[in-house]
């Protein structure tokens, strides 16, 4: 690598570390839902989420929390505390487990798996961009297309 290219790379990295990200360009959608037996604690729903980073910069996610609503009814909240990188202009697939507290919640999820419908996900990301920690909330909505699976 030539000295000019090396200097340009350092400049880009430093400039990127000093800028604030546009987190409105991070979207989440549901790719799949599975019910899982949680033993004596009842039933869990495992949501496969597609997290899209439409920014020009990669983002380090330190924690994520997802509040999930299916067909207009709140189902529950799932949290991941595993750090990972969200590449720029890419989709990353993550799984989050939501404990379903009662039989009605299990039936709502079972119905959504079978018949589809709508969803809303309020996602809170705790990010680390060049040492700057941000808490960002984004809400994504869409239609479930799970019955075809």
């Amino acid at each position: 690598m030539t000295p000019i290219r090396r200097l340009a790379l350092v400049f880009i990295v430093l400039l990127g570390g000093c800028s604030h990200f546009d987190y409105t360009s991070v979207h989440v959608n549901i790719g799949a839902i599975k019910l899982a037996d949680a033993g004596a604690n009842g039933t869990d729903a495992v949501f496969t989420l597609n997290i899209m980073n439409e920014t020009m910069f990669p983002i380090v996610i330190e924690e994520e929390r997802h509040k999930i609503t299916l067909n207009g009814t709140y189902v529950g909240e799932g949290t991941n505390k595993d750090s990972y990188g969200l590449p720029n202009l890419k989709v990353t697939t993550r799984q989050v487990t939501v404990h379903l507290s009662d039989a009605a919640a299990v039936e709502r999820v079972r119905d959504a798996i079978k018949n589809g419908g709508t969803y809303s996900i309020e996602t809170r990301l705790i990010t680390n961009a060049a040492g700057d920690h941000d808490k960002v909330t984004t809400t994504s909505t869409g239609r479930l297309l799970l019955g075809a699976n």
Side-chain angles (χ1 to χ4, degrees), residues 20-42:
H20 239 40
F21 295 116
D22 176 14
Y23 292 108
T24 60
S25 296
V26 175
H27 303 281
V28 181
N29 68 40
I30 296 175
I33 308 170
K34 292 182 182 177
L35 290 173
D37 184 10
N41 293 329

PDB file of all heavy atoms in Angstrom, residues 20-42:
ATOM      1  N   HIS A  20     -21.643  11.020  13.539  1.00  0.00           N
ATOM      2  CA  HIS A  20     -22.798  10.376  14.152  1.00  0.00           C
ATOM      3  C   HIS A  20     -23.551   9.609  13.081  1.00  0.00           C
ATOM      4  O   HIS A  20     -23.727  10.091  11.975  1.00  0.00           O
ATOM      5  CB  HIS A  20     -23.701  11.439  14.771  1.00  0.00           C
ATOM      6  CG  HIS A  20     -23.900  11.244  16.228  1.00  0.00           C
ATOM      7  ND1 HIS A  20     -22.911  10.852  17.078  1.00  0.00           N
ATOM      8  CD2 HIS A  20     -25.011  11.390  16.988  1.00  0.00           C
ATOM      9  CE1 HIS A  20     -23.384  10.768  18.292  1.00  0.00           C
ATOM     10  NE2 HIS A  20     -24.656  11.097  18.273  1.00  0.00           N
ATOM     11  N   PHE A  21     -24.010   8.431  13.425  1.00  0.00           N
ATOM     12  CA  PHE A  21     -24.718   7.607  12.461  1.00  0.00           C
ATOM     13  C   PHE A  21     -26.177   8.009  12.362  1.00  0.00           C
ATOM     14  O   PHE A  21     -26.766   8.513  13.320  1.00  0.00           O
ATOM     15  CB  PHE A  21     -24.644   6.132  12.869  1.00  0.00           C
ATOM     16  CG  PHE A  21     -23.259   5.581  12.831  1.00  0.00           C
ATOM     17  CD1 PHE A  21     -22.655   5.144  13.984  1.00  0.00           C
ATOM     18  CD2 PHE A  21     -22.558   5.498  11.640  1.00  0.00           C
ATOM     19  CE1 PHE A  21     -21.374   4.630  13.953  1.00  0.00           C
ATOM     20  CE2 PHE A  21     -21.286   4.982  11.602  1.00  0.00           C
ATOM     21  CZ  PHE A  21     -20.684   4.547  12.766  1.00  0.00           C
ATOM     22  N   ASP A  22     -26.755   7.760  11.214  1.00  0.00           N
ATOM     23  CA  ASP A  22     -28.180   7.969  11.006  1.00  0.00           C
ATOM     24  C   ASP A  22     -28.872   6.641  11.280  1.00  0.00           C
ATOM     25  O   ASP A  22     -28.976   5.788  10.412  1.00  0.00           O
ATOM     26  CB  ASP A  22     -28.444   8.422   9.571  1.00  0.00           C
ATOM     27  CG  ASP A  22     -29.920   8.570   9.280  1.00  0.00           C
ATOM     28  OD1 ASP A  22     -30.726   8.594  10.241  1.00  0.00           O
ATOM     29  OD2 ASP A  22     -30.278   8.646   8.097  1.00  0.00           O
ATOM     30  N   TYR A  23     -29.293   6.439  12.528  1.00  0.00           N
ATOM     31  CA  TYR A  23     -29.868   5.156  12.926  1.00  0.00           C
ATOM     32  C   TYR A  23     -31.265   4.932  12.368  1.00  0.00           C
ATOM     33  O   TYR A  23     -31.811   3.857  12.519  1.00  0.00           O
ATOM     34  CB  TYR A  23     -29.878   5.037  14.450  1.00  0.00           C
ATOM     35  CG  TYR A  23     -28.487   4.937  15.018  1.00  0.00           C
ATOM     36  CD1 TYR A  23     -27.920   5.987  15.714  1.00  0.00           C
ATOM     37  CD2 TYR A  23     -27.729   3.782  14.837  1.00  0.00           C
ATOM     38  CE1 TYR A  23     -26.645   5.898  16.234  1.00  0.00           C
ATOM     39  CE2 TYR A  23     -26.453   3.679  15.350  1.00  0.00           C
ATOM     40  CZ  TYR A  23     -25.918   4.741  16.056  1.00  0.00           C
ATOM     41  OH  TYR A  23     -24.653   4.650  16.564  1.00  0.00           O
ATOM     42  N   THR A  24     -31.850   5.935  11.741  1.00  0.00           N
ATOM     43  CA  THR A  24     -33.152   5.711  11.115  1.00  0.00           C
ATOM     44  C   THR A  24     -33.006   4.797   9.912  1.00  0.00           C
ATOM     45  O   THR A  24     -33.998   4.329   9.367  1.00  0.00           O
ATOM     46  CB  THR A  24     -33.808   7.042  10.678  1.00  0.00           C
ATOM     47  OG1 THR A  24     -32.960   7.693   9.732  1.00  0.00           O
ATOM     48  CG2 THR A  24     -34.064   7.937  11.877  1.00  0.00           C
ATOM     49  N   SER A  25     -31.789   4.512   9.513  1.00  0.00           N
ATOM     50  CA  SER A  25     -31.539   3.610   8.391  1.00  0.00           C
ATOM     51  C   SER A  25     -31.250   2.193   8.857  1.00  0.00           C
ATOM     52  O   SER A  25     -30.664   1.397   8.130  1.00  0.00           O
ATOM     53  CB  SER A  25     -30.384   4.132   7.545  1.00  0.00           C
ATOM     54  OG  SER A  25     -30.738   5.366   6.958  1.00  0.00           O
ATOM     55  N   VAL A  26     -31.619   1.872  10.089  1.00  0.00           N
ATOM     56  CA  VAL A  26     -31.536   0.500  10.596  1.00  0.00           C
ATOM     57  C   VAL A  26     -32.968  -0.001  10.740  1.00  0.00           C
ATOM     58  O   VAL A  26     -33.782   0.627  11.417  1.00  0.00           O
ATOM     59  CB  VAL A  26     -30.793   0.429  11.944  1.00  0.00           C
ATOM     60  CG1 VAL A  26     -30.823  -0.985  12.512  1.00  0.00           C
ATOM     61  CG2 VAL A  26     -29.358   0.925  11.790  1.00  0.00           C
ATOM     62  N   HIS A  27     -33.271  -1.109  10.071  1.00  0.00           N
ATOM     63  CA  HIS A  27     -34.624  -1.668  10.074  1.00  0.00           C
ATOM     64  C   HIS A  27     -34.585  -3.124  10.503  1.00  0.00           C
ATOM     65  O   HIS A  27     -33.601  -3.826  10.243  1.00  0.00           O
ATOM     66  CB  HIS A  27     -35.255  -1.562   8.688  1.00  0.00           C
ATOM     67  CG  HIS A  27     -35.289  -0.160   8.170  1.00  0.00           C
ATOM     68  ND1 HIS A  27     -36.223   0.753   8.579  1.00  0.00           N
ATOM     69  CD2 HIS A  27     -34.484   0.496   7.309  1.00  0.00           C
ATOM     70  CE1 HIS A  27     -35.997   1.909   7.985  1.00  0.00           C
ATOM     71  NE2 HIS A  27     -34.938   1.780   7.203  1.00  0.00           N
ATOM     72  N   VAL A  28     -35.665  -3.568  11.122  1.00  0.00           N
ATOM     73  CA  VAL A  28     -35.758  -4.947  11.602  1.00  0.00           C
ATOM     74  C   VAL A  28     -37.037  -5.555  11.055  1.00  0.00           C
ATOM     75  O   VAL A  28     -38.095  -4.917  11.074  1.00  0.00           O
ATOM     76  CB  VAL A  28     -35.788  -4.986  13.151  1.00  0.00           C
ATOM     77  CG1 VAL A  28     -35.867  -6.402  13.660  1.00  0.00           C
ATOM     78  CG2 VAL A  28     -34.568  -4.271  13.727  1.00  0.00           C
ATOM     79  N   ASN A  29     -36.935  -6.796  10.557  1.00  0.00           N
ATOM     80  CA  ASN A  29     -38.156  -7.510  10.192  1.00  0.00           C
ATOM     81  C   ASN A  29     -38.084  -8.945  10.681  1.00  0.00           C
ATOM     82  O   ASN A  29     -37.013  -9.453  11.024  1.00  0.00           O
ATOM     83  CB  ASN A  29     -38.466  -7.413   8.695  1.00  0.00           C
ATOM     84  CG  ASN A  29     -37.490  -8.139   7.822  1.00  0.00           C
ATOM     85  OD1 ASN A  29     -37.041  -9.233   8.133  1.00  0.00           O
ATOM     86  ND2 ASN A  29     -37.154  -7.547   6.697  1.00  0.00           N
ATOM     87  N   ILE A  30     -39.239  -9.582  10.746  1.00  0.00           N
ATOM     88  CA  ILE A  30     -39.331 -10.958  11.228  1.00  0.00           C
ATOM     89  C   ILE A  30     -39.198 -11.899  10.043  1.00  0.00           C
ATOM     90  O   ILE A  30     -39.970 -11.820   9.086  1.00  0.00           O
ATOM     91  CB  ILE A  30     -40.666 -11.198  11.956  1.00  0.00           C
ATOM     92  CG1 ILE A  30     -40.751 -10.324  13.205  1.00  0.00           C
ATOM     93  CG2 ILE A  30     -40.827 -12.680  12.324  1.00  0.00           C
ATOM     94  CD1 ILE A  30     -42.080 -10.385  13.927  1.00  0.00           C
ATOM     95  N   GLY A  31     -38.214 -12.795  10.113  1.00  0.00           N
ATOM     96  CA  GLY A  31     -38.019 -13.781   9.065  1.00  0.00           C
ATOM     97  C   GLY A  31     -38.686 -15.108   9.379  1.00  0.00           C
ATOM     98  O   GLY A  31     -39.139 -15.816   8.484  1.00  0.00           O
ATOM     99  N   ALA A  32     -38.757 -15.452  10.670  1.00  0.00           N
ATOM    100  CA  ALA A  32     -39.363 -16.725  11.088  1.00  0.00           C
ATOM    101  C   ALA A  32     -39.716 -16.654  12.569  1.00  0.00           C
ATOM    102  O   ALA A  32     -39.148 -15.852  13.317  1.00  0.00           O
ATOM    103  CB  ALA A  32     -38.403 -17.887  10.833  1.00  0.00           C
ATOM    104  N   ILE A  33     -40.665 -17.497  12.966  1.00  0.00           N
ATOM    105  CA  ILE A  33     -41.041 -17.641  14.377  1.00  0.00           C
ATOM    106  C   ILE A  33     -41.194 -19.126  14.645  1.00  0.00           C
ATOM    107  O   ILE A  33     -41.828 -19.855  13.868  1.00  0.00           O
ATOM    108  CB  ILE A  33     -42.386 -16.955  14.710  1.00  0.00           C
ATOM    109  CG1 ILE A  33     -42.414 -15.507  14.246  1.00  0.00           C
ATOM    110  CG2 ILE A  33     -42.677 -17.046  16.208  1.00  0.00           C
ATOM    111  CD1 ILE A  33     -43.802 -14.857  14.341  1.00  0.00           C
ATOM    112  N   LYS A  34     -40.637 -19.583  15.760  1.00  0.00           N
ATOM    113  CA  LYS A  34     -40.812 -20.975  16.191  1.00  0.00           C
ATOM    114  C   LYS A  34     -41.199 -20.976  17.662  1.00  0.00           C
ATOM    115  O   LYS A  34     -40.699 -20.168  18.443  1.00  0.00           O
ATOM    116  CB  LYS A  34     -39.519 -21.770  16.021  1.00  0.00           C
ATOM    117  CG  LYS A  34     -39.124 -21.996  14.588  1.00  0.00           C
ATOM    118  CD  LYS A  34     -37.873 -22.839  14.507  1.00  0.00           C
ATOM    119  CE  LYS A  34     -37.475 -23.013  13.049  1.00  0.00           C
ATOM    120  NZ  LYS A  34     -36.241 -23.768  12.901  1.00  0.00           N
ATOM    121  N   LEU A  35     -42.080 -21.873  18.012  1.00  0.00           N
ATOM    122  CA  LEU A  35     -42.419 -22.064  19.419  1.00  0.00           C
ATOM    123  C   LEU A  35     -41.474 -23.110  19.993  1.00  0.00           C
ATOM    124  O   LEU A  35     -41.146 -24.100  19.330  1.00  0.00           O
ATOM    125  CB  LEU A  35     -43.863 -22.517  19.574  1.00  0.00           C
ATOM    126  CG  LEU A  35     -44.913 -21.444  19.239  1.00  0.00           C
ATOM    127  CD1 LEU A  35     -46.306 -22.040  19.246  1.00  0.00           C
ATOM    128  CD2 LEU A  35     -44.823 -20.294  20.232  1.00  0.00           C
ATOM    129  N   ALA A  36     -41.030 -22.891  21.230  1.00  0.00           N
ATOM    130  CA  ALA A  36     -40.109 -23.808  21.895  1.00  0.00           C
ATOM    131  C   ALA A  36     -40.592 -24.058  23.316  1.00  0.00           C
ATOM    132  O   ALA A  36     -41.001 -23.124  24.005  1.00  0.00           O
ATOM    133  CB  ALA A  36     -38.703 -23.223  21.905  1.00  0.00           C
ATOM    134  N   ASP A  37     -40.539 -25.309  23.747  1.00  0.00           N
ATOM    135  CA  ASP A  37     -40.939 -25.681  25.095  1.00  0.00           C
ATOM    136  C   ASP A  37     -39.908 -25.148  26.088  1.00  0.00           C
ATOM    137  O   ASP A  37     -38.717 -25.383  25.935  1.00  0.00           O
ATOM    138  CB  ASP A  37     -41.044 -27.194  25.210  1.00  0.00           C
ATOM    139  CG  ASP A  37     -41.560 -27.655  26.562  1.00  0.00           C
ATOM    140  OD1 ASP A  37     -42.014 -26.797  27.350  1.00  0.00           O
ATOM    141  OD2 ASP A  37     -41.509 -28.865  26.831  1.00  0.00           O
ATOM    142  N   ALA A  38     -40.364 -24.427  27.078  1.00  0.00           N
ATOM    143  CA  ALA A  38     -39.476 -23.889  28.109  1.00  0.00           C
ATOM    144  C   ALA A  38     -39.626 -24.671  29.406  1.00  0.00           C
ATOM    145  O   ALA A  38     -39.341 -24.176  30.489  1.00  0.00           O
ATOM    146  CB  ALA A  38     -39.754 -22.414  28.328  1.00  0.00           C
ATOM    147  N   GLY A  39     -40.104 -25.918  29.306  1.00  0.00           N
ATOM    148  CA  GLY A  39     -40.254 -26.771  30.481  1.00  0.00           C
ATOM    149  C   GLY A  39     -41.332 -26.261  31.410  1.00  0.00           C
ATOM    150  O   GLY A  39     -42.405 -25.850  30.978  1.00  0.00           O
ATOM    151  N   ALA A  40     -41.031 -26.265  32.695  1.00  0.00           N
ATOM    152  CA  ALA A  40     -42.002 -25.834  33.699  1.00  0.00           C
ATOM    153  C   ALA A  40     -42.336 -24.349  33.576  1.00  0.00           C
ATOM    154  O   ALA A  40     -43.343 -23.892  34.104  1.00  0.00           O
ATOM    155  CB  ALA A  40     -41.471 -26.134  35.096  1.00  0.00           C
ATOM    156  N   ASN A  41     -41.501 -23.595  32.878  1.00  0.00           N
ATOM    157  CA  ASN A  41     -41.723 -22.154  32.739  1.00  0.00           C
ATOM    158  C   ASN A  41     -42.690 -21.801  31.625  1.00  0.00           C
ATOM    159  O   ASN A  41     -42.950 -20.627  31.373  1.00  0.00           O
ATOM    160  CB  ASN A  41     -40.392 -21.434  32.504  1.00  0.00           C
ATOM    161  CG  ASN A  41     -39.496 -21.510  33.714  1.00  0.00           C
ATOM    162  OD1 ASN A  41     -39.965 -21.551  34.833  1.00  0.00           O
ATOM    163  ND2 ASN A  41     -38.199 -21.549  33.476  1.00  0.00           N
ATOM    164  N   GLY A  42     -43.207 -22.799  30.883  1.00  0.00           N
ATOM    165  CA  GLY A  42     -44.172 -22.509  29.836  1.00  0.00           C
ATOM    166  C   GLY A  42     -43.582 -22.647  28.448  1.00  0.00           C
ATOM    167  O   GLY A  42     -42.880 -23.602  28.146  1.00  0.00           O
TER     168      GLY A  42
END
